[in-house]
Amino acid sequence: MNAPLVTVDELSVHYPLGRRLIGKTPVLKAIDRVSIDIPKGSFFGLVGESGSGKTTLGRAILRAAPISEGKAFFRDGEIEYDLGQLDKAQLRDYRKRAQLIFQDPYAALSPRMTVRDIIAEPLEVMGLTKTREETDRRVREIAAKCRLNLEHLRRFPHAFSGGQRQRISIARALVTGPKFVVADESVAALDVSIQADILNLLKSLQRDLDLTFLFISHDLSVVAHVCDYVAVMYLGSIVEIGPTRELFARPKHPYTRALLSAIPSLDPDETGKAQRLAGEIPSPANPPPGCRFHTRCPVAQDRCRADVPALEDAGDGVSRVSCHFWRENLPG
């Protein structure tokens, strides 16, 4: 594993829910004491059900969501930023180094701007180029890497398909030369065949530009295809982290096993594979005590209802799991 480009240590993001005249103000714990290391040059996957906090974690790392507690660090060579303590100059510099690819390629692009102006806007806003010729040269370079030609730069977004619009969004995110990119459900709105094309493009760009990706997705098949490491989130907490092959082959946490069992099979005759979880995901405004998954866990015991499990080493120095009884419940 390479040295981490981004380190998250006991990070929490809490949002107040109104005010009370008596007692404490209730809070929604969108992220609660999350710790992960994202290795430099990796494709790091983040998966979980809707509402588990995946997008909020990505936004917190980008400083687009407030960090309530804990630490987050960005380390790239001689550059080291404490993301919770950035002043205006540091935040401006960090914006060049960390970018976001949005989910919806239709809503992410202004219909009143040409593709050239959309891609050039970050350069102009951040003052990274001094002349129009320099801006145009940089726009053409990144457009070519994203498989857009000169004719495309003269058009408006409505003239493009979903896959082409997503390539425009990718070019806009990469034009400032970032080293860290958060891809938030970046292929979820695309057809399956177009998804493969965009994923292959992202992998190619990762190699060519030495990028590190935080790839947020609910599609485990996509994650298995592109990611080097995977972290599984449930109700604002990390329940398991590991190399993709190891996690998919030998999942240790009951929640991870349930997620993997829901991946559709290519065999039309295979039935009964998916593991059904009882109940609904609890509210992050009122999480259960102890292990947050115990209300739906098929192997929960009394200890799970009282003690919060630590995210402990699973024995290989890389994988970690947050479960009191993961060793006893390993399949096989």
Side-chain angles (χ1 to χ4, degrees), residues 286-309:
N286 186 28
C291 175
R292 295 191 170 192
F293 186 57
H294 83 258
T295 58
R296 305 172 71 194
C297 181
V299 295
Q301 301 182 33
D302 290 341
R303 183 184 177 188
C304 304
R305 299 176 180 88
D307 299 333
V308 178

Side-chain angles (χ1 to χ4, degrees), residues 128-196:
L128 298 180
T129 53
K130 297 180 180 179
T131 64
R132 183 179 179 86
E133 290 74 18
E134 186 181 356
T135 300
D136 287 340
R137 183 172 63 253
R138 178 59 183 160
V139 168
R140 289 194 297 268
E141 288 174 356
I142 199 65
K145 289 183 181 295
C146 294
R147 303 171 191 169
L148 298 167
N149 59 43
L150 291 178
E151 180 60 30
H152 290 152
L153 298 179
R154 304 186 184 97
R155 300 178 185 175
F156 290 86
H158 71 267
F160 296 93
S161 65
Q164 290 172 319
R165 293 189 192 197
Q166 196 60 291
R167 288 200 291 273
I168 297 169
S169 294
I170 294 170
R172 178 178 59 183
L174 300 184
V175 73
T176 61
K179 291 299 181 182
F180 178 63
V181 179
V182 176
D184 187 5
E185 299 278 11
S186 298
V187 296
L190 306 176
D191 293 339
V192 174
S193 59
I194 306 302
Q195 285 186 8

Side-chain angles (χ1 to χ4, degrees), residues 71 125 140 150 172 189 200 210 234 240 270 298:
K71 298 284 187 179
V125 170
R140 289 194 297 268
L150 291 178
R172 178 178 59 183
N200 291 334
D210 190 26
Y234 180 80
E240 187 169 355
E270 184 176 347

Side-chain angles (χ1 to χ4, degrees), residues 227-247:
C227 293
D228 306 305
Y229 304 92
V230 180
V232 182
M233 288 196 74
Y234 180 80
L235 201 61
S237 298
I238 299 291
V239 298
E240 187 169 355
I241 304 174
T244 304
R245 286 192 176 185
E246 171 67 20
L247 187 140

Side-chain angles (χ1 to χ4, degrees), residues 32 69 105:
D32 198 33
E69 299 173 3

Side-chain angles (χ1 to χ4, degrees), residues 263-286:
I263 298 176
S265 173
L266 295 178
D267 184 358
D269 296 325
E270 184 176 347
T271 59
K273 176 188 172 186
Q275 176 185 339
R276 296 179 63 88
L277 294 176
E280 299 291 336
I281 185 170
S283 169
N286 186 28

Side-chain angles (χ1 to χ4, degrees), residues 78-141:
E78 298 180 355
I79 299 295
E80 179 174 338
Y81 287 144
D82 180 345
L83 301 183
Q85 304 293 329
L86 297 178
D87 58 32
K88 289 185 177 180
Q90 291 173 330
L91 181 59
R92 185 179 181 88
D93 182 65
Y94 181 61
R95 293 284 187 237
K96 306 171 190 174
R97 301 174 185 272
Q99 284 290 325
L100 172 67
I101 301 172
F102 292 96
Q103 173 180 349
D104 188 351
Y106 293 91
L109 305 177
S110 171
R112 296 177 176 85
M113 298 173 67
T114 65
V115 171
R116 180 268 175 201
D117 292 340
I118 288 172
I119 298 175
E121 187 176 27
L123 296 174
E124 296 167 347
V125 170
M126 297 181 184
L128 298 180
T129 53
K130 297 180 180 179
T131 64
R132 183 179 179 86
E133 290 74 18
E134 186 181 356
T135 300
D136 287 340
R137 183 172 63 253
R138 178 59 183 160
V139 168
R140 289 194 297 268
E141 288 174 356

